[in-house]
Amino acid sequence: MITVDLRSDTVTKPTPGMLEAMWSAKVGDDVFGEDESINELEAKAAAMFGMEAGIFCPSGTMTNQIAIKCFTQPLDELIADQTAHVYRYEGGGIAFNSGVSTRLLNGYRGILTAEMIEPEINAENIHYPHTSLVVLENTVNKGGGSCYTLEQIASIAELCKANNLKLHLDGARIFNALAHTGDKAVDYGKYFNGISVCLSKGLGAPVGSVLLADKATIKYARRLRKVFGGGMRQAGFLAAAATYALDHHVERLKIDHAHAQILAEELAKCDWVTNVLPAETNIVLFDTIQPADVMLAKLEEKGIKANSTDKHRIRFVTHLDVHPNQVEYTVQVLKGLK
């Protein structure tokens, strides 16, 4: 029986070329700034997004939490969508690490607009927390891989600048967004004070995320990374995998999107499915008549692994380890489920 793992794009394994890059990596002590592979990755990622500098961290949660702490003070408030990963899936780190409250908005599939944000910026008043930061997520996980365009981002950045707010991007799947919109990564540096770029999802690196910002912010971020326990030593083996991913796995993301579209189209025909969200990128969210756990068990019997995101909602995520024959097999299984 074929096994198809659609739980997440975090389950990918290093490709042969990536393993070779890791094997031949030049490494040193990164806390001393002497790991050549990490220095190369940080410089490369910063240049790609038009930012001054970068810092390599073990996870996207760490890069997001460091960014929030860099851009806020205790008693501040940040604005984010109510589905935001920084709020829902980072263990309450906003409050614990930074002493900051969160103003949650209800965007369309997680996408905020300047018009939504503007009335939620607190006036200067001792009764209110000081609004200091807006956090966007691209793509939006809970939105089914929904994307911001640069035009949408530009209007939010203009509002932030006018109100002296910082703007951070949780770019967990930023390259998926760019593959869908056709926008250029280098243009993002015009709008964001910080960008977190995850390398271990669709790009297929085994570990890691890079925080990008100006040099002063990254200097402070290195102190915070150390405090958070993220000061790694010969981590260049991991950085080499990430650099390989940036060089070889970005363009192929469109394949994952095409696979997700095939699955979404088939799910829309299934009589046991009540709704399928638009599959813009590599995430497919769909609702089921029976509880999601019941349908997940039926899929598991056929070798298909997936996750639920709600009582009646299932998520499929395509990635570089999901091949055309596996997509075809999954389609046949979906057709046979009752």
Side-chain angles (χ1 to χ4, degrees), residues 59-250:
S59 69
T61 293
M62 182 176 284
T63 50
N64 283 333
Q65 291 300 312
I66 288 174
I68 291 168
K69 195 157 183 67
C70 282
F71 298 139
T72 63
Q73 295 293 326
L75 305 182
D76 281 358
E77 184 168 80
L78 66 80
I79 295 173
D81 185 78
Q82 59 91 15
T83 64
H85 190 280
V86 295
Y87 175 75
R88 285 182 175 255
Y89 300 116
E90 297 187 7
I94 295 171
F96 186 80
N97 295 321
S98 298
V100 170
S101 61
T102 307
R103 179 76 62 94
L104 299 175
L105 309 186
N106 292 303
Y108 174 67
R109 294 178 62 202
I111 301 294
L112 301 181
T113 66
E115 290 73 23
M116 292 177 191
I117 295 168
E118 185 170 19
E120 305 301 328
I121 300 171
N122 288 332
E124 286 299 326
N125 185 310
I126 61 171
H127 298 90
Y128 307 148
H130 174 250
T131 308
S132 60
L133 176 65
V134 173
V135 178
L136 308 181
E137 183 178 338
N138 205 18
T139 67
V140 183
N141 181 7
K142 293 281 285 186
S146 52
C147 302
Y148 283 92
T149 65
L150 265 180
E151 185 178 4
Q152 292 171 309
I153 290 167
S155 63
I156 294 172
E158 184 178 348
L159 174 68
C160 289
K161 186 175 181 180
N163 289 273
N164 199 29
L165 308 182
K166 301 292 187 181
L167 182 61
H168 173 65
L169 177 66
D170 172 7
R173 295 179 174 88
I174 182 58
F175 284 104
N176 290 95
L178 293 170
H180 176 72
T181 63
D183 293 326
K184 303 299 182 184
V186 71
D187 293 328
Y188 272 61
K190 303 174 185 176
Y191 302 116
F192 289 100
N193 300 100
I195 301 175
S196 172
V197 179
C198 188
L199 301 155
S200 63
K201 294 187 172 71
L203 295 185
V207 173
S209 186
V210 178
L211 174 62
L212 309 174
D214 60 39
K215 291 179 180 178
T217 299
I218 295 302
K219 182 179 179 180
Y220 183 45
R222 291 193 183 281
R223 178 177 290 273
L224 294 175
R225 185 184 68 172
K226 183 66 175 176
V227 172
F228 285 172
M232 299 179 285
R233 301 297 177 172
Q234 290 76 29
F237 298 108
L238 300 175
T243 297
Y244 182 91
L246 290 174
D247 288 338
H248 297 91
H249 291 170
V250 172

Side-chain angles (χ1 to χ4, degrees), residues 235-310:
F237 298 108
L238 300 175
T243 297
Y244 182 91
L246 290 174
D247 288 338
H248 297 91
H249 291 170
V250 172
E251 289 299 320
R252 62 151 310 283
L253 290 172
K254 293 179 181 179
I255 298 172
D256 300 338
H257 297 182
H259 287 164
Q261 189 62 43
I262 291 169
L263 295 175
E265 290 174 0
E266 188 57 45
L267 285 162
K269 301 174 187 176
C270 295
D271 58 11
W272 51 274
V273 173
T274 60
N275 180 51
V276 183
L277 269 65
E280 295 178 27
T281 53
N282 70 321
I283 298 176
V284 184
L285 293 180
F286 60 98
D287 300 322
T288 58
I289 294 174
Q290 289 188 289
D293 288 349
V294 173
M295 300 312 297
L296 286 171
K298 292 183 178 183
L299 289 167
E300 185 93 37
E301 289 175 0
K302 301 294 185 179
I304 298 171
K305 299 179 179 181
N307 279 332
S308 62
T309 65
D310 211 334

